[in-house]
Amino acid sequence: ETGVTQSPTHLIKTRGQQVTLRCSSQSGHNTVSWYQQALGQGPQFIFQYYREEENGRGNFPPRFSGLQFPNYSSELNVNALELDDSALYLCASSPGARYTDTQYFGPGTRLTVL
Amino acid sequence: GQQVMQIPQYQHVQEGEDFTTYCNSSTTLSNIQWYKQRPGGHPVFLIQLVKSGEVKKQKRLTFQFGEAKKNSSLHITATQTTDVGTYFCAGRHNAGNMLTFGGGTRLMVKP
């Protein structure tokens, strides 16, 4: 059973650019959630995808968007990057979208915006 | 909005001492989960509590969920250097899918 993987590991972008981050969910999981973790803080929920549909969204602007594919892998897209977008982006997969389902986190993508 | 507060922010202990971190929500939680994040790593799931007043143990770790389902605690007995990391609580409100994390407690253990 493979765990959650994310790519790339690190990324450096400049303000105003666009970025796409990728996540492969754990085998057998159909739900992916994305989080932003600023340095020294707890992860903040961006959104969740369940069976290719957005299934809840946190307090993030529309320039944060996502996709989930038929194999349940997922992408996070961020347009018009701002300096404050510099953070660790984590995806977490779970076997379903029930509130009791355990989430398994990937290693994250460290994004630096200059 | 719905918030989850965690204290203390940092804790230094001597190896062998006990450690406790506390988590409080402004509103009732459907469940609470605890995660550990090592420096440079990602959050790793430790446990989930769902029932009011629930207590669960994992070796030296004891987790409690308050009667009102608004607070929780993690207690580590006789800390070891391998316990170093940041401990996060995370709760869901109204059986929703949004997991709200506390700010974490960073545990440092002096050998």
mmCIF file of all heavy atoms in Angstrom, chain A residues 1 4 25-32 68 71-73 92-96 102-104:
data_model
loop_
_atom_site.group_PDB
_atom_site.id
_atom_site.type_symbol
_atom_site.label_atom_id
_atom_site.label_comp_id
_atom_site.label_asym_id
_atom_site.label_seq_id
_atom_site.Cartn_x
_atom_site.Cartn_y
_atom_site.Cartn_z
ATOM 1 N N GLU A 1 0.858 -1.209 0.000
ATOM 2 C CA GLU A 1 0.000 0.000 0.000
ATOM 3 C C GLU A 1 0.877 1.236 0.000
ATOM 4 O O GLU A 1 1.674 1.435 0.903
ATOM 5 C CB GLU A 1 -0.873 -0.022 1.256
ATOM 6 C CG GLU A 1 -1.847 1.106 1.334
ATOM 7 C CD GLU A 1 -2.695 1.041 2.610
ATOM 8 O OE1 GLU A 1 -3.696 0.309 2.618
ATOM 9 O OE2 GLU A 1 -2.334 1.694 3.591
ATOM 10 N N VAL A 4 0.642 8.688 0.679
ATOM 11 C CA VAL A 4 0.350 9.904 -0.061
ATOM 12 C C VAL A 4 1.660 10.516 -0.564
ATOM 13 O O VAL A 4 2.610 10.649 0.205
ATOM 14 C CB VAL A 4 -0.386 10.912 0.839
ATOM 15 C CG1 VAL A 4 -0.697 12.191 0.081
ATOM 16 C CG2 VAL A 4 -1.667 10.283 1.388
ATOM 17 N N SER A 25 -3.139 10.280 -4.007
ATOM 18 C CA SER A 25 -3.739 9.802 -2.766
ATOM 19 C C SER A 25 -3.298 8.372 -2.472
ATOM 20 O O SER A 25 -2.816 7.651 -3.346
ATOM 21 C CB SER A 25 -5.261 9.884 -2.842
ATOM 22 O OG SER A 25 -5.747 9.134 -3.937
ATOM 23 N N GLN A 26 -3.490 7.990 -1.228
ATOM 24 C CA GLN A 26 -3.179 6.623 -0.817
ATOM 25 C C GLN A 26 -4.138 5.663 -1.519
ATOM 26 O O GLN A 26 -5.312 5.996 -1.773
ATOM 27 C CB GLN A 26 -3.319 6.519 0.701
ATOM 28 C CG GLN A 26 -2.862 5.206 1.294
ATOM 29 C CD GLN A 26 -2.701 5.293 2.798
ATOM 30 O OE1 GLN A 26 -2.156 6.262 3.322
ATOM 31 N NE2 GLN A 26 -3.177 4.292 3.499
ATOM 32 N N SER A 27 -3.625 4.481 -1.834
ATOM 33 C CA SER A 27 -4.428 3.466 -2.497
ATOM 34 C C SER A 27 -5.732 3.213 -1.732
ATOM 35 O O SER A 27 -5.731 3.045 -0.512
ATOM 36 C CB SER A 27 -3.605 2.176 -2.581
ATOM 37 O OG SER A 27 -4.377 1.136 -3.129
ATOM 38 N N GLY A 28 -6.853 3.224 -2.465
ATOM 39 C CA GLY A 28 -8.146 2.960 -1.848
ATOM 40 C C GLY A 28 -8.848 4.184 -1.298
ATOM 41 O O GLY A 28 -9.973 4.090 -0.811
ATOM 42 N N HIS A 29 -8.191 5.355 -1.363
ATOM 43 C CA HIS A 29 -8.778 6.593 -0.850
ATOM 44 C C HIS A 29 -9.397 7.399 -1.976
ATOM 45 O O HIS A 29 -8.783 7.581 -3.030
ATOM 46 C CB HIS A 29 -7.709 7.435 -0.141
ATOM 47 C CG HIS A 29 -7.256 6.857 1.155
ATOM 48 N ND1 HIS A 29 -6.413 7.540 2.009
ATOM 49 C CD2 HIS A 29 -7.542 5.687 1.766
ATOM 50 C CE1 HIS A 29 -6.193 6.799 3.086
ATOM 51 N NE2 HIS A 29 -6.867 5.661 2.960
ATOM 52 N N ASN A 30 -10.631 7.927 -1.743
ATOM 53 C CA ASN A 30 -11.299 8.695 -2.788
ATOM 54 C C ASN A 30 -11.454 10.174 -2.427
ATOM 55 O O ASN A 30 -12.098 10.922 -3.150
ATOM 56 C CB ASN A 30 -12.685 8.093 -3.089
ATOM 57 C CG ASN A 30 -13.589 8.064 -1.858
ATOM 58 O OD1 ASN A 30 -13.373 8.782 -0.889
ATOM 59 N ND2 ASN A 30 -14.613 7.224 -1.910
ATOM 60 N N THR A 31 -10.868 10.578 -1.318
ATOM 61 C CA THR A 31 -11.043 11.949 -0.832
ATOM 62 C C THR A 31 -9.676 12.589 -0.586
ATOM 63 O O THR A 31 -8.805 11.959 0.017
ATOM 64 C CB THR A 31 -11.847 11.955 0.481
ATOM 65 O OG1 THR A 31 -13.095 11.288 0.261
ATOM 66 C CG2 THR A 31 -12.120 13.372 0.957
ATOM 67 N N VAL A 32 -9.518 13.797 -1.089
ATOM 68 C CA VAL A 32 -8.272 14.537 -0.888
ATOM 69 C C VAL A 32 -8.589 15.914 -0.334
ATOM 70 O O VAL A 32 -9.480 16.608 -0.839
ATOM 71 C CB VAL A 32 -7.477 14.679 -2.210
ATOM 72 C CG1 VAL A 32 -6.292 15.629 -2.022
ATOM 73 C CG2 VAL A 32 -6.994 13.327 -2.695
ATOM 74 N N GLN A 68 -9.761 17.165 -9.006
ATOM 75 C CA GLN A 68 -9.486 15.781 -8.652
ATOM 76 C C GLN A 68 -9.761 14.939 -9.889
ATOM 77 O O GLN A 68 -10.766 15.142 -10.581
ATOM 78 C CB GLN A 68 -10.344 15.298 -7.480
ATOM 79 C CG GLN A 68 -9.909 13.919 -6.976
ATOM 80 C CD GLN A 68 -10.699 13.432 -5.796
ATOM 81 O OE1 GLN A 68 -11.876 13.763 -5.644
ATOM 82 N NE2 GLN A 68 -10.067 12.632 -4.940
ATOM 83 N N ASN A 71 -8.613 8.945 -11.058
ATOM 84 C CA ASN A 71 -7.822 8.037 -10.210
ATOM 85 C C ASN A 71 -7.657 8.603 -8.797
ATOM 86 O O ASN A 71 -6.896 8.057 -7.997
ATOM 87 C CB ASN A 71 -6.455 7.777 -10.840
ATOM 88 C CG ASN A 71 -5.582 9.008 -10.895
ATOM 89 O OD1 ASN A 71 -6.015 10.122 -10.548
ATOM 90 N ND2 ASN A 71 -4.349 8.836 -11.323
ATOM 91 N N TYR A 72 -8.360 9.698 -8.509
ATOM 92 C CA TYR A 72 -8.414 10.366 -7.205
ATOM 93 C C TYR A 72 -7.165 11.162 -6.862
ATOM 94 O O TYR A 72 -7.095 11.723 -5.760
ATOM 95 C CB TYR A 72 -8.777 9.397 -6.074
ATOM 96 C CG TYR A 72 -10.087 8.698 -6.314
ATOM 97 C CD1 TYR A 72 -10.184 7.318 -6.260
ATOM 98 C CD2 TYR A 72 -11.225 9.434 -6.631
ATOM 99 C CE1 TYR A 72 -11.401 6.676 -6.509
ATOM 100 C CE2 TYR A 72 -12.436 8.805 -6.877
ATOM 101 C CZ TYR A 72 -12.521 7.431 -6.819
ATOM 102 O OH TYR A 72 -13.711 6.806 -7.060
ATOM 103 N N SER A 73 -6.213 11.252 -7.777
ATOM 104 C CA SER A 73 -5.120 12.186 -7.556
ATOM 105 C C SER A 73 -5.678 13.598 -7.682
ATOM 106 O O SER A 73 -6.800 13.802 -8.174
ATOM 107 C CB SER A 73 -3.984 11.956 -8.548
ATOM 108 O OG SER A 73 -4.423 12.249 -9.872
ATOM 109 N N ALA A 92 -3.862 15.676 2.049
ATOM 110 C CA ALA A 92 -4.181 14.551 2.912
ATOM 111 C C ALA A 92 -5.275 13.744 2.249
ATOM 112 O O ALA A 92 -6.272 14.310 1.784
ATOM 113 C CB ALA A 92 -4.642 15.037 4.280
ATOM 114 N N SER A 93 -5.095 12.440 2.186
ATOM 115 C CA SER A 93 -6.149 11.612 1.608
ATOM 116 C C SER A 93 -6.847 10.824 2.716
ATOM 117 O O SER A 93 -6.282 10.592 3.790
ATOM 118 C CB SER A 93 -5.592 10.674 0.533
ATOM 119 O OG SER A 93 -4.888 9.580 1.084
ATOM 120 N N SER A 94 -8.080 10.457 2.448
ATOM 121 C CA SER A 94 -8.858 9.673 3.404
ATOM 122 C C SER A 94 -9.745 8.703 2.622
ATOM 123 O O SER A 94 -10.040 8.942 1.446
ATOM 124 C CB SER A 94 -9.697 10.580 4.311
ATOM 125 O OG SER A 94 -10.485 11.460 3.572
ATOM 126 N N PRO A 95 -10.180 7.626 3.271
ATOM 127 C CA PRO A 95 -10.950 6.611 2.563
ATOM 128 C C PRO A 95 -12.336 7.091 2.152
ATOM 129 O O PRO A 95 -12.976 6.472 1.309
ATOM 130 C CB PRO A 95 -11.035 5.450 3.560
ATOM 131 C CG PRO A 95 -10.708 6.041 4.881
ATOM 132 C CD PRO A 95 -9.849 7.224 4.653
ATOM 133 N N GLY A 96 -12.822 8.167 2.788
ATOM 134 C CA GLY A 96 -14.116 8.735 2.451
ATOM 135 C C GLY A 96 -14.214 10.143 2.975
ATOM 136 O O GLY A 96 -13.246 10.695 3.505
ATOM 137 N N THR A 102 -10.159 9.127 8.957
ATOM 138 C CA THR A 102 -8.805 9.581 9.269
ATOM 139 C C THR A 102 -8.125 10.100 8.013
ATOM 140 O O THR A 102 -8.252 9.500 6.945
ATOM 141 C CB THR A 102 -7.982 8.423 9.835
ATOM 142 O OG1 THR A 102 -8.628 7.957 11.018
ATOM 143 C CG2 THR A 102 -6.566 8.859 10.163
ATOM 144 N N GLN A 103 -7.402 11.215 8.144
ATOM 145 C CA GLN A 103 -6.652 11.773 7.031
ATOM 146 C C GLN A 103 -5.180 11.393 7.148
ATOM 147 O O GLN A 103 -4.608 11.446 8.237
ATOM 148 C CB GLN A 103 -6.776 13.294 7.012
ATOM 149 C CG GLN A 103 -8.211 13.756 6.766
ATOM 150 C CD GLN A 103 -8.299 15.232 6.503
ATOM 151 O OE1 GLN A 103 -7.317 15.959 6.587
ATOM 152 N NE2 GLN A 103 -9.491 15.699 6.169
ATOM 153 N N TYR A 104 -4.591 11.052 6.038
ATOM 154 C CA TYR A 104 -3.179 10.703 5.994
ATOM 155 C C TYR A 104 -2.469 11.751 5.140
ATOM 156 O O TYR A 104 -2.785 11.906 3.963
ATOM 157 C CB TYR A 104 -2.988 9.304 5.414
ATOM 158 C CG TYR A 104 -3.623 8.243 6.285
ATOM 159 C CD1 TYR A 104 -4.958 7.897 6.113
ATOM 160 C CD2 TYR A 104 -2.899 7.623 7.298
ATOM 161 C CE1 TYR A 104 -5.562 6.944 6.929
ATOM 162 C CE2 TYR A 104 -3.491 6.663 8.109
ATOM 163 C CZ TYR A 104 -4.822 6.344 7.926
ATOM 164 O OH TYR A 104 -5.412 5.405 8.737
#
